[in-house]
Amino acid sequence: MKAYYSFLFLGLLGLSLGAGVVQGSEIGQEGESWSLNVVYEGPHYVAERGKLTVICILSHYHRLKWTHNGKPVVSGEGGYTTMDLPGPDGYVKSNLTVESAHVYHAGEYKCTPFSPRSHSVYVISVSHGRSEEKVDPQGEDIQVLFEGRPVKIFCNLTAEGGENNGVAPKADIPIEWYKDGNKIHEGERYKIFRENFTLVIENAQKKDAGDYKCVLNTETDKLSRDHKIIFLEIKKMDKSQNVDEKKQLVIECPVDGVPEPSVIWLKNQKPVYELMANDSRISLGPNSKNVTNGTLTISSAEWRDRGNYTCNITSFTYNFEKWTFLRVKDVYAALWPFIGIVIEVVILGIIIVIFEKRRAKAEFDESDTDQGNDQKNIGKDRRRK
């Protein structure tokens, strides 16, 4: 009987000590949420579709019942599996496992209602959905910077958890940023906002283009997301150009970029390199920004070079086209107006000369006729006398 009362006394003492602890989640030095009678083990940060495991060690005096955000957890439902094992020194050990965690698995976990202690879990999901970004086939975020304007890079690591259930604020998540492998430190140009996992570059410059990475070191995993910031500047191109026959022509594709974009030339929608195979007059070279194949040169223009020339610009998932229409003028084209004027003057002169000759002849014939008539009249007068 004494043993029974001693056992009952110890049980009531355990309940009173468990109930006397302040409500909320508490993270110990080793990343555990603990109370006098309940100890939780397991990571607080889990990658989406990663394995989630929470271990609860509690005394026999506590009733074992798993809850998630205050709702009962049923083994075999919602992806949960529970297993109870004997613990050390008469304690009970219970494992709660989710083989493929999703954002709805984040929140507060408790293994007994008799202790206020809980274990908080973040589920980190790698997400897209930023309209200003593109994603290449390898899943890398790509964004174009414009000189003099700010650039915002979103980490896209979404920490899902129930803040109203005692989960630590998102600002406590240890996010680090790197550019081309070098850690970024906050300063005048770099601002790091941990609340929404954002890196802001004030007054971005061409040199800021590069490979960026946000890294989250959890207890079990190292989660990261790659971002590529590119500089791509494309200026206007003349809609048409003229060149004299036999003269050299250089057409420049007005592009600059970091990393260097790819440039492909087309003539009337056919690749220029096909023409180059049979025409040594055509060659490609770097433009004024040193972009490979940025200029197309025709050493001696011919009439057959007339047509529409397009430079196709590609930088990762971005693609642009710039075009110009080329007109080839005859080498004597400038003389034709002068020759035409000379011919007109000559023809007009000939017409005037012919007209004057005819008019002079007509006047001469008329004068001869008048003189003959006068002589006849004089002869008649003499005979009458």
Side-chain angles (χ1 to χ4, degrees):
M1 180 65 85
K2 289 184 179 180
Y4 172 77
Y5 284 113
S6 298
F7 181 81
L8 180 61
F9 174 75
L10 291 174
L12 293 175
L13 178 62
L15 289 177
S16 63
L17 290 174
V21 181
V22 180
Q23 293 281 338
S25 175
E26 184 175 326
I27 300 177
Q29 293 181 353
E30 298 181 356
E32 299 177 351
S33 300
W34 60 274
S35 73
L36 184 62
N37 300 96
V38 179
V39 175
Y40 290 101
E41 297 178 355
H44 292 280
Y45 302 99
V46 180
E48 187 177 19
R49 295 183 177 84
K51 186 174 182 179
L52 166 63
T53 300
V54 180
I55 300 173
C56 170
I57 302 175
L58 73 163
S59 66
H60 286 291
Y61 308 116
H62 288 170
R63 183 164 60 92
L64 180 62
K65 181 180 180 181
W66 281 100
T67 59
H68 172 223
N69 293 335
K71 298 181 180 179
V73 173
V74 179
S75 182
E77 297 182 5
Y80 293 108
T81 300
T82 59
M83 179 179 295
D84 300 336
L85 301 170
D89 299 328
Y91 279 74
V92 175
K93 183 177 181 180
S94 181
N95 294 355
L96 182 145
T97 304
V98 177
E99 293 294 334
S100 180
H102 295 277
V103 293
Y104 54 80
H105 288 121
E108 294 295 313
Y109 287 89
K110 295 179 66 175
C111 63
T112 177
F114 294 103
S115 173
R117 294 299 180 218
S118 62
H119 184 80
S120 60
V121 173
Y122 281 113
V123 176
I124 308 299
S125 65
V126 179
S127 60
H128 305 297
R130 298 290 182 183
S131 60
E132 62 269 29
E133 296 176 349
K134 289 190 175 184
V135 181
D136 69 2
Q138 287 73 38
E140 185 175 39
D141 295 326
I142 300 176
Q143 189 175 349
V144 178
L145 71 82
F146 299 92
E147 286 190 298
R149 295 171 58 182
V151 173
K152 295 181 180 180
I153 309 175
F154 299 91
C155 188
N156 287 344
L157 294 177
T158 305
E160 297 292 342
E163 294 185 3
N164 294 331
N165 296 299
V167 179
K170 294 183 180 180
D172 291 342
I173 297 179
I175 291 287
E176 295 180 344
W177 285 91
Y178 295 84
K179 177 183 183 292
D180 298 329
N182 299 316
K183 187 174 180 179
I184 295 175
H185 300 280
E186 286 193 85
E188 294 182 359
R189 299 185 62 246
Y190 293 105
K191 303 294 183 184
I192 298 176
F193 297 92
R194 291 175 175 81
E195 293 82 0
N196 57 358
F197 310 146
T198 304
L199 172 69
V200 177
I201 306 174
E202 299 288 348
N203 190 25
Q205 303 297 322
K206 180 179 177 180
K207 63 182 180 181
D208 291 317
D211 295 321
Y212 290 79
K213 176 180 287 190
C214 62
V215 178
L216 170 62
N217 291 306
T218 70
E219 298 92 334
T220 58
D221 298 304
K222 184 175 182 179
L223 307 177
S224 65
R225 185 67 182 172
D226 293 325
H227 303 259
K228 188 173 290 292
I229 303 300
I230 66 175
F231 171 72
L232 188 61
E233 182 181 62
I234 303 174
K235 296 183 178 180
K236 291 183 179 180
M237 191 181 217
D238 293 336
K239 296 301 181 183
S240 64
Q241 297 186 40
N242 299 322
V243 62
D244 292 333
E245 196 174 10
K246 306 300 182 184
K247 297 291 185 179
Q248 184 186 66
L249 170 70
V250 178
I251 306 176
E252 180 174 351
C253 186
V255 61
D256 185 18
V258 178
E260 183 179 286
S262 171
V263 176
I264 297 177
W265 286 93
L266 306 173
K267 179 191 175 185
N268 298 330
Q269 299 306 312
K270 294 183 180 180
V272 168
Y273 66 83
E274 295 181 0
L275 303 177
M276 294 171 59
N278 301 315
D279 196 339
S280 60
R281 298 176 305 113
I282 304 174
S283 62
L284 300 177
N287 64 3
S288 59
K289 301 297 184 179
N290 206 34
V291 176
T292 303
N293 296 335
T295 58
L296 183 149
T297 302
I298 302 176
S299 59
S300 179
E302 298 179 2
W303 187 86
R304 59 177 174 163
D305 296 322
R306 174 186 173 93
N308 193 77
Y309 290 81
T310 303
C311 65
N312 187 292
I313 305 163
T314 303
S315 181
F316 296 95
T317 55
Y318 293 89
N319 185 269
F320 302 91
E321 287 186 348
K322 287 292 181 178
W323 60 270
T324 185
F325 187 83
L326 176 63
R327 296 182 178 87
V328 180
K329 298 188 296 182
D330 193 335
V331 66
Y332 300 109
L335 296 176
W336 291 126
F338 176 74
I339 294 174
I341 293 173
V342 171
I343 293 175
E344 289 179 0
V345 171
V346 172
I347 293 175
L348 182 60
I350 294 173
I351 292 174
I352 292 174
V353 170
I354 294 174
F355 177 78
E356 289 296 329
K357 285 184 177 180
R358 288 184 178 181
R359 188 172 64 83
K361 183 179 179 182
E363 290 180 353
F364 177 77
D365 292 340
E366 184 178 355
S367 63
D368 287 345
T369 303
D370 292 340
Q371 184 178 1
N373 291 333
D374 291 340
Q375 290 179 352
K376 290 179 180 180
N377 291 333
I378 294 172
K380 289 181 181 180
D381 291 339
R382 287 178 179 177
R383 284 195 297 271
R384 287 177 183 175
K385 291 179 179 180

